[in-house]
Amino acid sequence: MTAFSSNSITFNNPVTNVFDNGIILIVDDVPNNLKVLSETLANTGFEVAIATSGESALQQLEHTPVSLILLDVMMPGMNGFETCQHIKANLKTQNIPIIFITALSEAVNKVTGFELGAIDYITNGKKS
């Protein structure tokens, strides 16, 4: 995933759904991405949980209910697509909205993300 600028993200309406406890889980292996996203979300009033791998995200979800998951695709070990499959296969977590935030911008990757159950797929607009 490429770095995001904290001044390019604005939130007008927080997520509201059955899981709306204000906790957003960010799953990314790049420390700077975690920093920018978590600071931006925290400054808008969200509580943020962080996982640096798909495996650690799945472990956290067993104990911490979240309102939304921001998920990178390109991670070592279990990638974001595999992580999403596990989340959607678990009755306890299957209804949590997932947004992929990744540098992978090819149509095939976007289709895969939506087929796996993501509600959105955000890229930096560059081909990877």
Side-chain angles (χ1 to χ4, degrees), residues 42-113:
N43 288 338
T44 60
F46 290 99
E47 186 176 339
V48 177
I50 292 174
T52 57
S53 69
E55 293 89 349
S56 65
L58 295 176
Q59 290 174 354
Q60 282 193 43
L61 289 170
E62 287 299 315
H63 307 287
T64 306
V66 301
S67 297
L68 176 68
I69 300 169
L70 302 179
L71 181 58
D72 185 23
V73 173
M74 298 183 300
M75 296 182 292
M78 182 184 298
N79 70 34
F81 292 144
E82 293 169 310
T83 304
C84 183
Q85 284 179 308
H86 285 282
I87 292 167
K88 294 302 181 181
N90 184 332
L91 291 175
K92 184 177 177 181
T93 59
Q94 68 183 1
N95 292 321
I96 301 171
I98 296 173
I99 298 175
F100 282 107
I101 298 183
T102 182
L104 294 179
S105 61
E106 289 82 10
V108 66
N109 295 314
K110 292 176 185 179
V111 169
T112 299

